[in-house]
Amino acid sequence: MGSSEQILLPDAPKFDLDAYIANYSGRTRFDRLFLIGSTSLFLCVEAIKGAIAEAKKGKDLTRYQRAVSLLHHHQRDDPAACSDLEWLDKTSKQVKAEADRLEHELKGYKNNLIKESIRMGHEDFGNFYHETGDLQSSYKSYAKMREYCTSQKQILEMCLKMLIVGVEQNSWISVQTSVLKIRDLNLKPEVEADIQPKLHASMALSYMASGNYKEAATSFLVVNPSLGDTFNQVMTSNDVAVYGGLCALASMDRYELQTKVLENSHFRSFLELEPHIRRAVSFFCNLKYTQCLETLEAYRTDYLLDIHLRRHLQEIYTLIRIKCIVQYFTPCDSASIAEMAQIFGTDEDAMQQELGDLIQRDILEARIDTQNKVLNAYGRIARDEVVNESLQMANVYERAARHRLFAINTINGGVEIRTPRASNQPGYGGAGDILSSGQHQPRGFRSRFG
């Protein structure tokens, strides 16, 4: 899973490479190792050698050659930087022989018109293409299985394979299509309970990939902890905590973060795996913006080495920082730019420029006093709005209470209020037609009509 982006990171990440990569299985192991080798100056050689070893476990010759070429660029004298021609020749012959065998078997299955055999033939071809790195052909082979599936279980297995290939291709429309197909199946409750965490995680990942962080956070937050390591071809439970926490911080307000993240019993299990994410959310909810941003910044290098998160990290961090600035200034009539610069870890000039940008984008309702280095609020101040809304609400409650008390006293007094029948009839508007006392009028009750 390559990318044109080549950001070289000089800082060492906080994770141990061997322990980190051991959490994953399948093709994503090579993808992650190759990305780390391409971008981390601290781990590049170790990661590339791991990628070469991982490639030699499979049959994807292109991957192996890319990894060897990258190592040769960094360390030409390393023995592993030279291609293993014997392995390449041997594996190439094995791949060709297996392709011929599968083609021959599939033709025989089609001639015999046995649906189950044809389905298995397409599945074998899909697995073969997947192992050799031809993801497009793999997806097509899996899709051909649909015509020959005879049970819900077989359709489920097919859709899961297509889903994983879609993730590896970064084809998020295909991922969402596979998820919707699975949700339309009539599955047994125990099967559905097992598959739902994977579906929520996949949809969340597709939302994050498209920049829809609010929907991504919502989907990550409903992933059941039973996901465990059952989906480590795509992501682990640690990834759910990081992706979900960052997307929530970038898109949710304080109340939502408190109720949907920190007080979420399911997501709390994930946050225990990544306690710094929980701390960052807690700092934000408690208005401790400096600590929140410093906590996230400490893990920037780790997140830039993640194959799914790195493309969106700068945008997510920017959104979180903007939320911190806006939330800090919202209750204020004015604020010192020097003090804000200290809180948000920058100098006065950079802070003033950042505030000016937010004002121009209509994110912040304020004006900058450049002479006194002060940020002044203008327009409708949030505090005044709250006071006015509270007064209006109090008036509404007062009127409602008076009406209820009047109705209660009327009923207790035995007074009946009748609807007027016509203006020309006797007694219209008179006291006799509007009020008639009951047989037992309470002592002390007196009508204003006499």
Side-chain angles (χ1 to χ4, degrees), residues 265-325:
S265 58
H266 282 172
F267 199 69
R268 190 181 301 123
S269 301
F270 293 109
L271 290 178
E272 290 175 356
L273 302 174
E274 299 288 341
H276 63 279
I277 292 292
R278 178 181 52 78
R279 288 198 301 271
V281 176
S282 299
F283 285 142
F284 184 89
C285 291
N286 294 326
L287 310 181
K288 297 179 180 180
Y289 308 117
T290 304
Q291 295 92 324
C292 174
L293 296 177
E294 287 177 351
T295 300
L296 296 178
E297 192 63 30
Y299 285 83
R300 178 186 286 269
T301 299
D302 293 48
Y303 299 154
L304 286 173
L305 295 176
D306 183 276
I307 58 176
H308 298 301
L309 188 57
R310 67 191 182 94
R311 300 182 183 91
H312 310 279
L313 187 67
Q314 186 57 48
E315 182 181 3
I316 289 174
Y317 271 29
T318 300
L319 290 173
I320 295 172
R321 182 177 176 84
I322 290 173
K323 282 180 60 181
C324 289
I325 293 173

Side-chain angles (χ1 to χ4, degrees), residues 22-175:
N23 294 323
Y24 299 95
S25 67
R27 291 176 60 86
T28 191
R29 286 172 58 91
F30 177 90
D31 292 331
R32 293 174 183 274
L33 287 167
F34 190 82
L35 172 63
I36 295 171
S38 302
T39 56
S40 174
L41 297 179
F42 187 81
L43 293 175
C44 81
V45 175
E46 182 183 357
I48 297 170
K49 288 184 176 181
I52 291 174
E54 190 66 30
K56 294 186 74 172
K57 295 178 183 178
K59 304 173 183 177
D60 192 339
L61 304 181
T62 303
R63 282 187 157 193
Y64 172 76
Q65 292 170 337
R66 286 172 57 206
V68 170
S69 175
L70 184 61
L71 182 60
H72 182 75
H73 175 74
H74 288 283
Q75 283 195 349
R76 296 185 178 182
D77 298 333
D78 195 300
C82 298
S83 296
D84 187 344
L85 299 179
E86 181 181 353
W87 179 85
L88 284 171
D89 182 62
K90 177 183 175 182
T91 306
S92 178
K93 291 179 180 179
Q94 289 179 349
V95 168
K96 187 178 185 307
E98 187 173 358
D100 293 338
R101 178 182 63 80
L102 292 174
E103 182 69 29
H104 177 73
E105 289 179 353
L106 183 58
K107 286 183 180 179
Y109 296 151
K110 290 182 177 180
N111 291 333
N112 295 332
L113 300 177
I114 303 175
K115 294 186 66 174
E116 176 62 15
S117 297
I118 297 174
R119 184 193 69 81
M120 293 178 62
H122 285 304
E123 182 178 12
D124 292 339
F125 250 123
N127 295 337
F128 168 75
Y129 286 132
H130 188 246
E131 291 176 0
T132 55
D134 190 349
L135 299 182
Q136 186 173 2
S137 297
S138 176
Y139 188 88
K140 290 179 179 179
S141 294
Y142 289 141
K144 291 177 182 178
M145 294 168 57
R146 179 65 184 90
E147 183 180 353
Y148 305 98
C149 290
T150 56
S151 67
Q152 299 283 304
K153 180 181 178 181
Q154 292 176 354
I155 298 175
L156 173 62
E157 292 175 352
M158 176 201 72
C159 290
L160 283 176
K161 290 178 180 293
M162 294 172 66
L163 187 153
I164 292 173
V165 174
V167 171
E168 294 174 352
Q169 288 181 304
N170 289 328
S171 177
W172 303 110
I173 294 179
S174 300
V175 172

Side-chain angles (χ1 to χ4, degrees), residues 140-428:
K140 290 179 179 179
S141 294
Y142 289 141
K144 291 177 182 178
M145 294 168 57
R146 179 65 184 90
E147 183 180 353
Y148 305 98
C149 290
T150 56
S151 67
Q152 299 283 304
K153 180 181 178 181
Q154 292 176 354
I155 298 175
L156 173 62
E157 292 175 352
M158 176 201 72
C159 290
L160 283 176
K161 290 178 180 293
M162 294 172 66
L163 187 153
I164 292 173
V165 174
V167 171
E168 294 174 352
Q169 288 181 304
N170 289 328
S171 177
W172 303 110
I173 294 179
S174 300
V175 172
Q176 294 181 5
T177 301
S178 298
V179 170
L180 294 177
K181 286 181 179 179
I182 294 174
R183 287 178 174 172
D184 288 338
L185 298 177
N186 186 21
L187 302 174
K188 295 180 179 179
E190 59 272 17
V191 177
E192 187 170 359
D194 180 65
I195 203 68
Q196 278 301 327
K198 299 177 183 178
L199 302 185
H200 289 310
S202 300
M203 286 297 286
L205 195 60
S206 69
Y207 287 134
M208 187 178 76
S210 61
N212 191 346
Y213 303 123
K214 184 63 177 288
E215 291 295 333
T218 302
S219 295
F220 277 125
L221 293 175
V222 296
V223 175
N224 194 286
S226 63
L227 178 72
D229 60 354
T230 61
F231 203 40
N232 59 5
Q233 311 98 311
V234 176
M235 70 178 77
T236 63
S237 295
N238 297 69
D239 294 330
V240 173
V242 172
Y243 300 164
L246 292 180
C247 288
L249 272 173
S251 61
M252 293 183 172
D253 57 33
R254 285 175 58 204
Y255 176 77
E256 289 177 308
L257 288 171
Q258 184 66 42
T259 57
K260 297 182 178 180
V261 180
L262 297 179
E263 297 176 4
N264 184 331
S265 58
H266 282 172
F267 199 69
R268 190 181 301 123
S269 301
F270 293 109
L271 290 178
E272 290 175 356
L273 302 174
E274 299 288 341
H276 63 279
I277 292 292
R278 178 181 52 78
R279 288 198 301 271
V281 176
S282 299
F283 285 142
F284 184 89
C285 291
N286 294 326
L287 310 181
K288 297 179 180 180
Y289 308 117
T290 304
Q291 295 92 324
C292 174
L293 296 177
E294 287 177 351
T295 300
L296 296 178
E297 192 63 30
Y299 285 83
R300 178 186 286 269
T301 299
D302 293 48
Y303 299 154
L304 286 173
L305 295 176
D306 183 276
I307 58 176
H308 298 301
L309 188 57
R310 67 191 182 94
R311 300 182 183 91
H312 310 279
L313 187 67
Q314 186 57 48
E315 182 181 3
I316 289 174
Y317 271 29
T318 300
L319 290 173
I320 295 172
R321 182 177 176 84
I322 290 173
K323 282 180 60 181
C324 289
I325 293 173
V326 172
Q327 187 167 282
Y328 172 84
F329 182 70
T330 296
C332 303
D333 293 335
S334 63
S336 168
I337 294 180
E339 184 178 344
M340 293 184 68
Q342 183 178 2
I343 291 174
F344 293 104
T346 185
D347 57 75
E348 290 188 37
D349 292 337
M351 189 77 246
Q352 182 172 318
Q353 184 177 357
E354 187 174 2
L355 293 172
D357 180 62
L358 296 179
I359 292 172
Q360 288 182 347
R361 293 162 58 189
D362 294 329
I363 296 175
L364 196 63
E365 294 185 355
R367 288 290 184 266
I368 298 176
D369 183 347
T370 55
Q371 183 174 359
N372 298 316
K373 297 291 184 180
V374 174
L375 183 68
N376 295 315
Y378 83 102
R380 299 179 62 189
I381 302 177
R383 183 171 53 196
D384 294 340
E385 293 179 15
V386 172
V387 172
N388 292 332
E389 289 178 2
S390 300
L391 292 174
Q392 292 176 6
M393 188 177 298
N395 291 333
V396 171
Y397 280 127
E398 184 181 358
R399 286 198 303 271
R402 288 182 180 275
H403 285 304
R404 290 192 179 97
L405 287 173
F406 177 78
I408 292 170
N409 289 333
T410 301
I411 295 172
N412 291 339
V415 178
E416 180 181 358
I417 300 178
R418 296 177 180 173
T419 304
R421 289 168 295 186
S423 59
N424 58 353
Q425 292 183 358
Y428 176 76

